[in-house]
Amino acid sequence: MGHRDEDRENRTDAAAGSEGGRGPAGADATADRDAVLAPLDARLDDLVALYEDLHRHPELSFQETRTAAEAARRLTSWGYDVTTGIAGTGVTGVLRNGSGPVVLLRADMDALPVAEETGLPYASTVPGVMHACGHDVHVSCLLGAADLLAAGRSHWSGTLVVLFQPAEESGGGARAMLEAGLYTEGIVPTPDVVLAQHVAPFGAGLIAYCPGVCMAAADSLEITFHGSGGHGSRPETTVDPIVMAASFVQRVQSVVAREVAPGERAVVTVGSFRAGDSANVIPDRAQVKLSVRTFDEAVRSRVLDAIDRIARAEAEASGAKRAPETVVLDAFPVTFNDARTLRQVNSALTGLFGEQRLFAYDPASGSEDAGLLATAAGAPLYYWWLGGWEPAAFHAAFAAGRLAQDIPSNHSARFAPVPRPTLTMGVQALTTAALSRLEAA
């Protein structure tokens, strides 16, 4: 965490008030919240149309020009101070509304290289690309919340920052925006809190949360093993990189089984193996790609060191003249929810939705880069999951013990959140969370 000056601490404490959020005036806070949320019903048809349009026109990481332009257009019309082109396609909107804390709401914009199989009438029109992780939901919900908070600015005080981030899927978007001077060059004021949500394949109308470590660190590696190729009929004249890499693939499975304690968690997956083009030619090199997931920095270091050790050992055992080369393709940090912020925001969400709509979950092995935006600011993060699946279908699958079989996960070609009530609850959740950390007007 970076250093937070005394003024920022005072702003945060004043806004936090009681554990419920906006100071002791609970009835007034509820009235303000209801007044800000009141126009949502009238705006919902437009939000659904926006969501369907974004779903039809997905854009890959750092290519989100159309999505970014629409976000900027809407924010400008609502009176935000808008900056575009941050790290290529990033967009921010700043709404200064008197004294008080700086609250940052974040949504990611990029799609995935997945061919859609949902059969939706608004399915992707871009071959081989779809919003398979729900970032179209995130953009729509954040724009909905930005609209309501701008229209209802007489009910709160402080500074609202809305951030539309590129390239979450590739792991570089948040870091690229920070390196472009997001805080250091004053593109936006340094936030006192960072809030974000992610749609997930459980029943729409529900919110899931996880205190502390809520998502894993992720490291994607590409390891190239160098051998000495030759004719397939004379392997004795070669150093076979396929055998070398295959031995590595087998041995690396022992890292989690034999070097990670049962009470710790780690996942090591080899997702790609490429070598050679001919049946009778031993190639000069073989390449493997791995995904590593961990929930603790010490475990992360130990696992990555073990992978490197095994790769070097297999090369040496094979008599390779050249050590293997490892390239880090992307890296996500552990996502950590601040306990106090979680309690304050959840109190506000419970006040709106009721206790039965929120539930706790175990840390997920998926990964995120939103935490970088908080860490760079020295600010707390709260990141929650928003249910997006058709409720009756989800409950039927749950009752039958068939969630894994019947409910497609994020990144599936069949991932299809329902617009209603997902968008309604997503806008309400972001708006209510922001109000819980802003000051009363």
Side-chain angles (χ1 to χ4, degrees):
M1 289 286 185
H3 173 68
R4 281 195 284 175
D5 60 49
E6 187 175 349
D7 288 342
R8 290 185 62 215
E9 292 284 4
N10 291 339
R11 291 200 306 268
T12 301
D13 291 341
S18 67
E19 285 294 288
R22 311 178 73 210
D28 290 342
T30 298
D32 285 338
R33 178 204 69 199
D34 292 346
V36 174
L37 292 176
L40 177 56
D41 286 345
R43 288 160 160 78
L44 194 56
D45 286 345
D46 175 65
L47 274 181
V48 171
L50 170 65
Y51 163 67
E52 293 179 355
D53 179 71
L54 294 175
H55 193 87
R56 286 190 187 97
H57 302 95
E59 298 169 302
L60 294 173
S61 297
F62 290 120
Q63 300 175 29
E64 309 93 339
T65 54
R66 187 179 184 277
T67 305
E70 180 62 16
R73 182 188 71 80
R74 290 181 177 238
L75 293 174
T76 300
S77 73
W78 299 326
Y80 285 80
D81 180 9
V82 177
T83 303
T84 62
I86 309 167
T89 51
V91 176
T92 58
V94 179
L95 190 60
R96 293 175 174 85
N97 192 37
S99 63
V102 179
V103 175
L104 188 152
L105 305 180
R106 174 267 200 180
D108 37 14
M109 301 186 291
D110 53 328
L112 285 159
V114 174
E116 184 159 355
E117 298 176 6
T118 63
L120 291 169
Y122 50 89
S124 171
T125 60
V126 182
V129 181
M130 75 168 287
H131 270 296
C133 202
H135 296 187
D136 45 356
V137 173
H138 305 169
V139 171
S140 300
C141 288
L142 182 50
L143 284 171
D147 183 11
L148 295 182
L149 287 161
R153 70 187 76 185
S154 63
H155 295 279
W156 58 270
S157 179
T159 297
L160 177 67
V161 178
V162 291
L163 184 149
F164 296 85
Q165 179 199 308
E168 183 277 333
E169 296 294 356
S170 64
R175 191 181 304 279
M177 290 188 78
L178 290 167
E179 291 175 350
L182 183 68
Y183 304 145
T184 57
E185 299 297 324
I187 296 173
V188 302
T190 304
D192 296 303
V193 65
V194 175
L195 305 171
Q197 65 184 5
H198 200 302
V199 68
F202 58 86
L206 299 174
I207 285 177
Y209 63 92
C210 178
V213 174
C214 65
M215 277 185 283
D219 297 277
S220 294
L221 310 176
E222 179 183 86
I223 302 177
T224 301
F225 292 89
H226 299 280
S228 177
H231 201 289
S233 67
R234 300 187 66 202
E236 74 279 5
T237 66
T238 72
V239 176
D240 192 335
I242 293 179
V243 173
M244 194 188 312
S247 297
F248 166 81
V249 170
Q250 290 292 328
R251 180 64 183 266
V252 82
Q253 306 305 315
S254 69
V255 172
V256 173
R258 289 295 177 266
E259 299 192 43
V260 176
E264 299 169 335
R265 295 179 63 187
V267 178
V268 176
T269 297
V270 177
S272 174
F273 191 121
R274 295 164 45 201
D277 297 301
S278 176
N280 69 340
V281 176
I282 294 172
D284 288 324
R285 64 177 58 190
Q287 189 178 79
V288 297
K289 294 181 181 180
L290 303 86
S291 174
V292 180
R293 310 278 174 155
T294 52
F295 295 84
D296 176 87
E297 282 301 321
V299 175
R300 185 183 193 183
S301 295
R302 192 161 72 246
V303 169
L304 293 174
D305 287 347
I307 291 170
D308 180 66
R309 183 190 74 236
I310 292 170
R312 288 186 285 103
E314 291 297 345
E316 186 173 351
S318 296
K321 296 285 197 288
R322 184 176 170 187
E325 297 172 340
T326 299
V327 175
V328 178
L329 301 176
D330 59 59
F332 294 82
V334 167
T335 303
F336 185 87
N337 276 333
D338 176 71
R340 183 171 181 234
T341 304
L342 182 148
R343 289 195 303 271
Q344 291 166 347
V345 173
N346 274 7
S347 177
L349 296 178
T350 300
L352 177 63
F353 299 125
E355 291 184 2
Q356 73 281 3
R357 305 276 290 279
L358 276 71
F359 67 95
Y361 75 97
D362 292 331
S365 55
S367 303
E368 251 288 350
D369 63 355
L372 292 173
L373 300 171
T375 301
L381 170 77
Y382 180 28
Y383 188 101
W384 64 90
W385 293 93
L386 173 71
W389 208 256
E390 199 285 318
F394 175 80
H395 291 303
F398 180 81
R402 291 185 54 83
L403 287 178
Q405 294 81 10
D406 296 346
I407 306 299
S409 66
N410 299 73
H411 291 213
S412 164
R414 297 184 295 115
F415 185 72
V418 291
R420 304 171 195 256
T422 306
L423 296 179
T424 303
M425 193 166 189
V427 173
Q428 290 173 329
L430 282 174
T431 305
T432 301
L435 289 172
S436 76
R437 299 312 307 266
L438 292 162
E439 290 184 4

